[in-house]
Coordinates of all heavy atoms in Angstrom, one line a residue:
L49 N 80.5 -151.5 -87.5 CA 81.3 -151.5 -88.7 C 81.0 -152.7 -89.6 O 80.8 -152.5 -90.8 CB 82.7 -151.4 -88.4 CG 83.8 -151.4 -89.4 CD1 83.5 -150.3 -90.5 CD2 85.2 -151.4 -88.9
L50 N 81.0 -153.9 -89.0 CA 80.7 -155.0 -89.8 C 79.4 -155.0 -90.6 O 79.2 -155.3 -91.7 CB 80.9 -156.4 -89.0 CG 81.3 -157.5 -89.9 CD1 82.8 -157.4 -90.4 CD2 81.1 -158.9 -89.2
N51 N 78.4 -154.7 -89.8 CA 77.0 -154.5 -90.3 C 76.9 -153.5 -91.4 O 76.3 -153.8 -92.5 CB 76.0 -154.2 -89.2 CG 75.7 -155.4 -88.3 OD1 76.1 -156.5 -88.6 ND2 75.1 -155.1 -87.3
L52 N 77.6 -152.4 -91.3 CA 77.6 -151.3 -92.3 C 78.3 -151.9 -93.5 O 77.9 -151.8 -94.7 CB 78.2 -150.1 -91.8 CG 77.4 -149.2 -90.9 CD1 78.2 -148.0 -90.4 CD2 76.2 -148.8 -91.6
L53 N 79.5 -152.7 -93.4 CA 80.3 -153.1 -94.5 C 79.5 -154.1 -95.2 O 79.6 -154.3 -96.4 CB 81.5 -153.7 -93.9 CG 82.6 -152.7 -93.4 CD1 83.8 -153.5 -92.9 CD2 83.0 -151.8 -94.6
G54 N 78.6 -154.9 -94.5 CA 77.8 -155.9 -95.2 C 76.4 -155.5 -95.6 O 75.6 -156.2 -96.2
G55 N 76.1 -154.3 -95.5 CA 74.9 -153.7 -96.1 C 73.7 -153.9 -95.3 O 72.5 -153.8 -95.8
L56 N 74.0 -154.2 -93.9 CA 72.8 -154.7 -93.1 C 72.3 -153.5 -92.4 O 71.3 -153.6 -91.6 CB 73.4 -155.7 -92.1 CG 73.7 -157.1 -92.6 CD1 74.2 -157.9 -91.5 CD2 72.4 -157.7 -93.2
D57 N 72.8 -152.3 -92.4 CA 72.5 -151.0 -91.7 C 72.6 -149.9 -92.5 O 73.0 -150.0 -93.7 CB 73.4 -151.0 -90.4 CG 72.9 -150.2 -89.4 OD1 71.9 -149.5 -89.5 OD2 73.5 -150.2 -88.3
T58 N 72.3 -148.7 -92.1 CA 72.6 -147.4 -93.0 C 73.4 -146.5 -92.1 O 73.2 -146.3 -91.1 CB 71.2 -146.8 -93.3 OG1 70.4 -146.8 -92.3 CG2 70.7 -147.2 -94.6
P59 N 74.5 -146.1 -92.9 CA 75.4 -145.2 -92.1 C 74.8 -143.8 -92.0 O 73.9 -143.4 -92.8 CB 76.6 -145.1 -93.2 CG 76.2 -145.4 -94.5 CD 75.0 -146.4 -94.3
T60 N 75.2 -143.1 -91.1 CA 74.9 -141.6 -90.9 C 75.7 -140.8 -92.0 O 75.0 -140.0 -92.5 CB 75.4 -141.2 -89.5 OG1 74.8 -142.1 -88.5 CG2 74.8 -139.7 -89.2
A61 N 76.8 -141.2 -92.2 CA 77.6 -140.5 -93.3 C 78.6 -141.6 -93.9 O 79.0 -142.5 -93.2 CB 78.3 -139.3 -92.8
G62 N 79.1 -141.4 -95.1 CA 80.2 -142.1 -95.7 C 79.5 -143.1 -96.6 O 78.4 -143.3 -96.7
R63 N 80.5 -144.0 -97.3 CA 80.0 -144.9 -98.3 C 80.8 -146.2 -98.1 O 81.9 -146.3 -97.5 CB 80.2 -144.3 -99.6 CG 79.6 -142.9 -99.9 CD 80.0 -142.4 -101.1 NE 79.1 -142.8 -102.3 CZ 79.3 -142.4 -103.5 NH1 80.5 -141.9 -103.9 NH2 78.4 -142.8 -104.4
V64 N 80.1 -147.3 -98.7 CA 80.7 -148.6 -98.7 C 80.6 -149.0 -100.2 O 79.6 -149.0 -100.8 CB 80.0 -149.6 -97.8 CG1 80.5 -151.0 -98.0 CG2 80.0 -149.2 -96.4
F65 N 81.7 -149.6 -100.7 CA 81.8 -149.9 -102.0 C 82.1 -151.5 -102.1 O 83.2 -152.0 -101.4 CB 82.9 -149.3 -102.9 CG 82.5 -147.9 -103.2 CD1 82.9 -146.9 -102.2 CD2 81.8 -147.4 -104.3 CE1 82.7 -145.5 -102.3 CE2 81.6 -146.1 -104.4 CZ 82.0 -145.2 -103.5
C66 N 81.3 -152.3 -102.8 CA 81.7 -153.7 -102.8 C 81.8 -153.9 -104.2 O 80.9 -153.7 -105.0 CB 80.6 -154.7 -102.2 SG 80.9 -156.4 -102.4
R67 N 83.0 -154.3 -104.7 CA 83.5 -154.5 -106.1 C 82.9 -153.3 -106.9 O 82.3 -153.3 -108.1 CB 82.6 -155.7 -106.7 CG 83.2 -157.1 -106.2 CD 83.4 -158.0 -107.3 NE 84.1 -159.1 -107.0 CZ 85.3 -159.3 -106.9 NH1 86.2 -158.3 -107.2 NH2 86.0 -160.4 -106.5
G68 N 83.1 -152.1 -106.3 CA 82.9 -150.9 -107.1 C 81.4 -150.5 -107.0 O 81.2 -149.3 -107.3
Q69 N 80.6 -151.3 -106.5 CA 79.2 -150.8 -106.4 C 79.0 -150.0 -104.9 O 79.3 -150.7 -103.9 CB 78.3 -152.1 -106.3 CG 76.8 -151.9 -106.1 CD 76.1 -150.8 -107.0 OE1 76.1 -151.1 -108.2 NE2 75.6 -149.6 -106.5
S70 N 78.5 -148.9 -105.0 CA 78.2 -148.3 -103.8 C 77.0 -148.8 -103.1 O 75.7 -148.6 -103.6 CB 78.0 -146.7 -104.0 OG 77.6 -146.1 -102.8
L71 N 77.1 -149.5 -101.9 CA 75.8 -150.3 -101.4 C 74.7 -149.4 -101.0 O 73.6 -149.8 -101.2 CB 76.4 -151.0 -100.1 CG 77.3 -152.2 -100.3 CD1 77.5 -152.9 -98.9 CD2 76.6 -153.1 -101.2
Y72 N 75.0 -148.2 -100.3 CA 74.0 -147.4 -99.9 C 73.4 -146.5 -100.9 O 72.5 -145.5 -100.6 CB 74.3 -146.8 -98.5 CG 74.6 -147.9 -97.4 CD1 75.9 -148.2 -97.2 CD2 73.6 -148.5 -96.9 CE1 76.2 -149.2 -96.3 CE2 73.8 -149.5 -96.1 CZ 75.2 -149.8 -95.7 OH 75.4 -150.8 -94.8
D73 N 73.9 -146.5 -102.2 CA 73.3 -145.8 -103.2 C 72.2 -146.6 -103.9 O 71.5 -146.2 -104.9 CB 74.3 -145.2 -104.2 CG 74.9 -144.0 -103.6 OD1 74.4 -143.2 -102.9 OD2 76.2 -143.8 -103.9
L74 N 72.2 -147.8 -103.4 CA 71.1 -148.9 -104.0 C 69.9 -148.7 -103.3 O 69.9 -148.7 -102.0 CB 71.6 -150.2 -104.0 CG 72.7 -150.7 -105.0 CD1 73.1 -152.1 -104.6 CD2 72.3 -150.7 -106.4
P75 N 68.6 -148.8 -103.9 CA 67.4 -148.9 -103.1 C 67.5 -150.2 -102.4 O 68.2 -151.1 -102.7 CB 66.4 -149.0 -104.2 CG 67.1 -148.6 -105.5 CD 68.5 -148.8 -105.4
Q76 N 66.7 -150.3 -101.2 CA 66.8 -151.3 -100.3 C 66.7 -152.7 -100.8 O 67.5 -153.6 -100.6 CB 65.6 -151.1 -99.3 CG 65.6 -152.3 -98.2 CD 66.5 -152.0 -97.0 OE1 66.7 -150.9 -96.5 NE2 67.2 -153.1 -96.7
R77 N 65.8 -152.9 -101.8 CA 65.5 -154.2 -102.3 C 66.7 -154.7 -103.2 O 67.1 -155.9 -103.1 CB 64.2 -154.3 -103.2 CG 63.0 -154.4 -102.3 CD 61.8 -154.7 -103.2 NE 62.1 -155.8 -104.2 CZ 61.1 -156.1 -105.0 NH1 59.8 -155.6 -105.0 NH2 61.2 -157.2 -105.8
Q78 N 67.2 -153.8 -104.0 CA 68.4 -154.0 -104.7 C 69.6 -154.3 -104.0 O 70.5 -155.2 -104.2 CB 68.7 -153.0 -105.8 CG 67.9 -153.0 -107.0 CD 68.1 -151.8 -107.9 OE1 67.2 -150.9 -107.9 NE2 69.2 -151.7 -108.6
R79 N 69.7 -153.5 -102.8 CA 70.8 -153.7 -102.0 C 70.7 -155.1 -101.2 O 71.7 -155.8 -101.3 CB 70.9 -152.6 -100.8 CG 72.1 -152.8 -100.0 CD 72.3 -151.7 -98.9 NE 71.3 -150.6 -99.0 CZ 70.6 -150.4 -97.8 NH1 70.8 -150.9 -96.7 NH2 69.8 -149.4 -97.9
D80 N 69.5 -155.5 -100.9 CA 69.4 -156.9 -100.4 C 69.9 -157.9 -101.3 O 70.5 -158.9 -101.0 CB 68.0 -157.1 -99.9 CG 67.6 -156.3 -98.7 OD1 68.4 -155.8 -98.0 OD2 66.3 -156.1 -98.4
A81 N 69.4 -157.8 -102.6 CA 69.8 -158.7 -103.6 C 71.3 -158.7 -103.8 O 71.9 -159.8 -103.9 CB 69.0 -158.5 -104.9
F82 N 71.8 -157.7 -103.9 CA 73.3 -157.5 -104.0 C 74.1 -158.1 -102.9 O 75.0 -158.9 -103.1 CB 73.8 -156.0 -104.2 CG 75.2 -155.8 -104.5 CD1 75.6 -155.8 -105.8 CD2 76.2 -155.8 -103.5 CE1 76.9 -155.5 -106.1 CE2 77.5 -155.6 -103.8 CZ 77.9 -155.5 -105.2
R83 N 73.5 -157.9 -101.6 CA 74.2 -158.4 -100.5 C 74.1 -160.1 -100.5 O 75.1 -160.7 -100.3 CB 73.5 -157.9 -99.3 CG 73.8 -158.2 -98.0 CD 73.3 -157.3 -96.9 NE 71.7 -157.3 -96.9 CZ 71.0 -158.2 -96.6 NH1 71.5 -159.4 -96.1 NH2 69.8 -158.1 -96.5
R84 N 72.9 -160.5 -100.8 CA 72.9 -162.0 -100.9 C 73.8 -162.6 -101.9 O 74.3 -163.8 -101.7 CB 71.4 -162.5 -101.3 CG 70.4 -162.4 -100.1 CD 69.2 -163.3 -100.4 NE 68.5 -162.8 -101.5 CZ 67.6 -161.9 -101.5 NH1 67.2 -161.4 -100.3 NH2 66.9 -161.5 -102.6
R85 N 74.1 -161.9 -102.9 CA 74.8 -162.5 -104.0 C 76.4 -162.4 -103.7 O 77.2 -163.1 -104.2 CB 74.6 -161.7 -105.4 CG 75.2 -162.3 -106.5 CD 74.5 -162.2 -107.7 NE 73.2 -162.8 -107.8 CZ 72.4 -163.0 -108.8 NH1 72.8 -162.5 -110.1 NH2 71.3 -163.6 -108.8
H86 N 76.8 -161.3 -103.0 CA 78.1 -160.9 -102.9 C 78.8 -161.0 -101.5 O 80.0 -161.1 -101.4 CB 78.5 -159.5 -103.4 CG 78.1 -159.3 -104.8 ND1 79.1 -159.5 -105.9 CD2 77.0 -159.0 -105.5 CE1 78.5 -159.4 -106.9 NE2 77.3 -159.0 -106.8
I87 N 77.9 -161.0 -100.5 CA 78.5 -161.0 -99.1 C 78.0 -162.2 -98.3 O 76.7 -162.4 -98.3 CB 78.1 -159.7 -98.5 CG1 78.8 -158.5 -99.3 CG2 78.7 -159.7 -97.0 CD1 78.2 -157.2 -99.0
G88 N 78.9 -162.9 -97.7 CA 78.5 -164.0 -96.9 C 78.7 -163.8 -95.4 O 79.6 -162.9 -95.1
Y89 N 78.0 -164.3 -94.5 CA 78.1 -164.1 -93.1 C 78.2 -165.4 -92.3 O 77.5 -166.5 -92.7 CB 76.8 -163.5 -92.6 CG 76.6 -162.1 -93.1 CD1 75.8 -161.9 -94.2 CD2 77.0 -161.0 -92.3 CE1 75.7 -160.5 -94.7 CE2 77.0 -159.8 -92.8 CZ 76.2 -159.5 -94.0 OH 76.0 -158.2 -94.3
V90 N 79.0 -165.4 -91.3 CA 78.9 -166.4 -90.4 C 78.6 -165.8 -89.0 O 79.2 -164.9 -88.6 CB 80.1 -167.2 -90.2 CG1 80.0 -168.3 -89.1 CG2 80.6 -167.9 -91.5
F91 N 77.4 -166.1 -88.5 CA 76.8 -165.5 -87.3 C 77.3 -166.3 -86.0 O 77.6 -167.4 -86.1 CB 75.3 -165.5 -87.3 CG 74.8 -164.7 -88.4 CD1 74.3 -165.2 -89.6 CD2 74.6 -163.2 -88.2 CE1 73.8 -164.4 -90.7 CE2 74.1 -162.5 -89.3 CZ 73.7 -163.1 -90.5
Q92 N 77.1 -165.6 -84.9 CA 77.6 -166.2 -83.7 C 76.7 -167.5 -83.3 O 77.2 -168.4 -82.9 CB 77.4 -165.2 -82.6 CG 78.4 -165.5 -81.4 CD 78.3 -164.5 -80.4 OE1 77.1 -164.4 -79.6 NE2 79.4 -163.8 -80.1
F93 N 75.4 -167.3 -83.5 CA 74.6 -168.5 -83.3 C 74.3 -168.8 -84.8 O 73.8 -168.0 -85.5 CB 73.3 -168.1 -82.5 CG 73.8 -167.5 -81.2 CD1 73.7 -166.2 -81.0 CD2 73.9 -168.4 -80.1 CE1 74.1 -165.6 -79.6 CE2 74.4 -167.9 -78.9 CZ 74.4 -166.5 -78.7
F94 N 74.6 -170.1 -85.0 CA 74.8 -170.4 -86.5 C 73.5 -170.1 -87.4 O 73.7 -170.1 -88.6 CB 75.3 -171.8 -86.7 CG 76.6 -171.9 -85.8 CD1 76.6 -172.8 -84.8 CD2 77.6 -171.1 -86.0 CE1 77.8 -173.0 -84.0 CE2 78.8 -171.4 -85.2 CZ 78.8 -172.1 -84.3
N95 N 72.5 -170.0 -86.8 CA 71.3 -169.5 -87.7 C 70.9 -170.5 -88.7 O 70.5 -170.2 -89.8 CB 71.4 -168.1 -88.3 CG 71.4 -167.0 -87.4 OD1 71.4 -167.2 -86.1 ND2 71.4 -165.8 -87.8
L96 N 71.1 -171.8 -88.4 CA 70.7 -172.9 -89.2 C 69.0 -173.0 -89.0 O 68.6 -172.8 -88.1 CB 71.3 -174.2 -88.9 CG 72.8 -174.1 -89.1 CD1 73.4 -175.5 -88.7 CD2 73.2 -173.8 -90.4
I97 N 68.5 -173.5 -90.1 CA 67.0 -173.6 -90.1 C 66.7 -175.0 -89.5 O 67.1 -176.0 -90.2 CB 66.3 -173.4 -91.4 CG1 66.8 -171.9 -91.8 CG2 64.8 -173.6 -91.3 CD1 66.0 -171.4 -93.0
P98 N 66.0 -175.2 -88.3 CA 65.9 -176.4 -87.7 C 65.0 -177.5 -88.6 O 65.4 -178.6 -88.5 CB 65.2 -176.2 -86.4 CG 65.0 -174.7 -86.3 CD 65.5 -174.0 -87.6
E99 N 64.1 -177.0 -89.4 CA 63.3 -177.9 -90.2 C 64.0 -178.4 -91.4 O 63.6 -179.2 -92.2 CB 61.9 -177.3 -90.6 CG 61.0 -176.9 -89.5 CD 61.5 -175.5 -88.7 OE1 62.3 -174.8 -89.3 OE2 60.9 -175.2 -87.7
F100 N 65.2 -177.9 -91.7 CA 65.9 -178.3 -93.0 C 67.1 -179.1 -92.7 O 67.8 -178.9 -91.5 CB 66.4 -176.9 -93.7 CG 65.5 -176.1 -94.5 CD1 64.0 -176.5 -94.3 CD2 65.8 -175.1 -95.3 CE1 63.0 -175.8 -95.0 CE2 64.8 -174.4 -96.1 CZ 63.5 -174.8 -95.8
T101 N 67.3 -180.0 -93.6 CA 68.6 -180.8 -93.3 C 69.9 -180.1 -93.7 O 69.8 -178.9 -94.1 CB 68.6 -182.1 -94.4 OG1 68.7 -181.5 -95.7 CG2 67.3 -182.9 -94.1
T102 N 70.9 -180.7 -93.5 CA 72.3 -180.0 -93.8 C 72.4 -179.5 -95.3 O 72.6 -178.4 -95.6 CB 73.5 -181.1 -93.6 OG1 73.5 -181.3 -92.3 CG2 74.8 -180.6 -94.1
L103 N 72.0 -180.5 -96.2 CA 72.0 -180.2 -97.7 C 71.0 -179.0 -97.9 O 71.4 -178.0 -98.6 CB 71.7 -181.4 -98.4 CG 72.0 -181.1 -100.0 CD1 73.5 -180.8 -100.2 CD2 71.7 -182.5 -100.8
E104 N 69.8 -179.1 -97.3 CA 68.9 -178.1 -97.6 C 69.3 -176.7 -97.1 O 69.1 -175.6 -97.7 CB 67.4 -178.4 -97.0 CG 66.9 -179.7 -97.8 CD 65.7 -180.1 -97.1 OE1 65.5 -180.0 -95.7 OE2 65.0 -181.0 -97.6
N105 N 69.9 -176.7 -96.0 CA 70.3 -175.5 -95.3 C 71.5 -174.8 -96.2 O 71.6 -173.6 -96.5 CB 71.0 -175.7 -93.9 CG 69.9 -175.4 -92.8 OD1 69.6 -174.3 -92.6 ND2 69.5 -176.5 -92.2
I106 N 72.4 -175.7 -96.7 CA 73.4 -175.2 -97.5 C 72.9 -174.7 -99.0 O 73.5 -173.6 -99.4 CB 74.5 -176.4 -97.7 CG1 75.2 -176.6 -96.4 CG2 75.5 -175.8 -98.8 CD1 76.1 -177.8 -96.4
R107 N 71.9 -175.4 -99.4 CA 71.4 -175.0 -100.8 C 70.4 -173.7 -100.6 O 70.2 -173.1 -101.8 CB 70.7 -176.0 -101.4 CG 71.6 -177.3 -101.7 CD 70.9 -178.3 -102.2 NE 71.1 -178.5 -103.7 CZ 70.3 -179.3 -104.4 NH1 69.5 -180.2 -103.9 NH2 70.4 -179.4 -105.7
L108 N 69.9 -173.5 -99.5 CA 68.9 -172.4 -99.3 C 69.2 -171.1 -99.9 O 68.4 -170.4 -100.6 CB 68.5 -172.3 -97.9 CG 67.3 -171.3 -97.7 CD1 66.1 -171.8 -98.3 CD2 67.1 -171.0 -96.1
P109 N 70.5 -170.4 -99.5 CA 70.7 -169.2 -100.0 C 70.6 -169.0 -101.5 O 70.2 -167.9 -102.1 CB 72.1 -168.9 -99.5 CG 72.3 -169.7 -98.4 CD 71.5 -170.9 -98.7
A110 N 71.0 -170.0 -102.2 CA 71.0 -169.9 -103.7 C 69.5 -169.9 -104.1 O 69.2 -169.0 -105.1 CB 71.7 -171.2 -104.4
Y111 N 68.6 -170.7 -103.5 CA 67.3 -170.6 -103.9 C 66.6 -169.4 -103.7 O 65.8 -168.7 -104.3 CB 66.4 -171.9 -103.2 CG 66.8 -173.2 -103.8 CD1 67.1 -174.2 -102.8 CD2 66.8 -173.5 -105.1 CE1 67.5 -175.4 -103.3 CE2 67.2 -174.7 -105.6 CZ 67.4 -175.8 -104.7 OH 67.8 -177.0 -105.1
L112 N 67.1 -168.8 -102.5 CA 66.4 -167.5 -102.1 C 66.9 -166.4 -103.2 O 66.2 -165.4 -103.4 CB 66.9 -167.0 -100.8 CG 66.4 -167.7 -99.5 CD1 67.1 -167.2 -98.3 CD2 64.8 -167.5 -99.5
D113 N 67.9 -166.7 -103.9 CA 68.5 -165.8 -104.8 C 68.0 -166.2 -106.3 O 68.6 -165.8 -107.3 CB 70.0 -165.7 -104.7 CG 70.6 -164.5 -105.3 OD1 69.9 -163.5 -105.4 OD2 71.8 -164.6 -105.6
N114 N 67.0 -167.2 -106.3 CA 66.5 -167.6 -107.6 C 67.7 -168.2 -108.5 O 67.6 -168.1 -109.7 CB 65.7 -166.5 -108.5 CG 64.6 -166.0 -107.7 OD1 63.8 -166.8 -107.3 ND2 64.4 -164.7 -107.6
R115 N 68.5 -168.9 -107.8 CA 69.6 -169.5 -108.6 C 69.7 -171.0 -108.3 O 69.2 -171.3 -107.2 CB 71.0 -168.9 -108.3 CG 71.3 -167.6 -108.8 CD 72.7 -167.1 -108.5 NE 72.9 -166.9 -107.1 CZ 74.0 -167.0 -106.5 NH1 75.1 -167.1 -107.2 NH2 74.2 -166.6 -105.3
N116 N 70.2 -171.8 -109.0 CA 70.5 -173.1 -108.8 C 71.8 -173.2 -108.0 O 72.8 -172.6 -108.4 CB 70.5 -174.1 -110.0 CG 69.2 -174.4 -110.5 OD1 68.2 -174.6 -109.7 ND2 69.1 -174.2 -111.9
P117 N 71.9 -173.9 -106.9 CA 73.1 -174.1 -106.2 C 74.1 -174.8 -107.1 O 73.9 -175.5 -108.0 CB 72.9 -175.0 -105.0 CG 71.4 -175.1 -104.9 CD 70.9 -174.7 -106.3
D118 N 75.5 -174.4 -106.9 CA 76.6 -175.0 -107.7 C 76.8 -176.4 -107.0 O 77.6 -176.3 -106.1 CB 77.7 -174.1 -107.5 CG 79.0 -174.6 -108.4 OD1 79.0 -175.9 -108.6 OD2 79.9 -173.9 -108.7
D119 N 76.1 -177.4 -107.6 CA 76.3 -178.8 -106.8 C 77.6 -179.3 -106.8 O 78.0 -180.1 -106.0 CB 75.2 -179.7 -107.4 CG 73.7 -179.4 -106.9 OD1 73.7 -178.8 -105.8 OD2 72.9 -179.6 -107.6
D120 N 78.4 -179.0 -107.9 CA 79.8 -179.5 -107.8 C 80.6 -178.9 -106.6 O 81.4 -179.6 -105.9 CB 80.6 -179.2 -109.2 CG 80.0 -180.1 -110.2 OD1 79.4 -181.1 -110.0 OD2 80.3 -179.7 -111.5
L121 N 80.4 -177.5 -106.5 CA 81.1 -176.9 -105.4 C 80.5 -177.4 -104.0 O 81.2 -177.6 -103.1 CB 80.9 -175.4 -105.6 CG 81.5 -174.5 -104.5 CD1 83.0 -174.6 -104.4 CD2 81.0 -173.0 -104.6
V122 N 79.2 -177.6 -104.0 CA 78.6 -178.0 -102.8 C 79.2 -179.3 -102.4 O 79.6 -179.5 -101.2 CB 77.0 -178.0 -102.8 CG1 76.5 -178.7 -101.6 CG2 76.5 -176.6 -103.0
A123 N 79.3 -180.2 -103.4 CA 79.9 -181.5 -103.0 C 81.3 -181.4 -102.5 O 81.7 -182.1 -101.6 CB 79.8 -182.5 -104.3

Side-chain angles (χ1 to χ4, degrees):
L49 176 57
L50 207 72
N51 287 347
L52 286 173
L53 291 175
L56 288 173
D57 198 352
T58 32
T60 308
R63 300 172 94 188
V64 176
F65 296 87
C66 180
R67 290 228 172 272
Q69 171 65 55
S70 174
L71 288 186
Y72 296 101
D73 284 325
L74 289 172
Q76 179 82 46
R77 278 187 53 178
Q78 276 173 258
R79 185 173 2 124
D80 289 342
F82 186 91
R83 184 164 53 71
R84 275 203 300 274
R85 186 154 297 191
H86 294 275
I87 299 167
Y89 293 88
V90 176
F91 296 98
Q92 198 177 71
F93 302 96
F94 305 116
N95 290 5
L96 299 177
I97 301 190
E99 294 83 6
F100 283 11
T101 64
T102 294
L103 190 58
E104 288 166 346
N105 265 288
I106 292 171
R107 298 174 98 189
L108 180 69
Y111 290 133
L112 288 177
D113 203 18
N114 293 315
R115 285 186 294 159
N116 284 319
D118 179 341
D119 281 330
D120 290 340
L121 177 64
V122 169

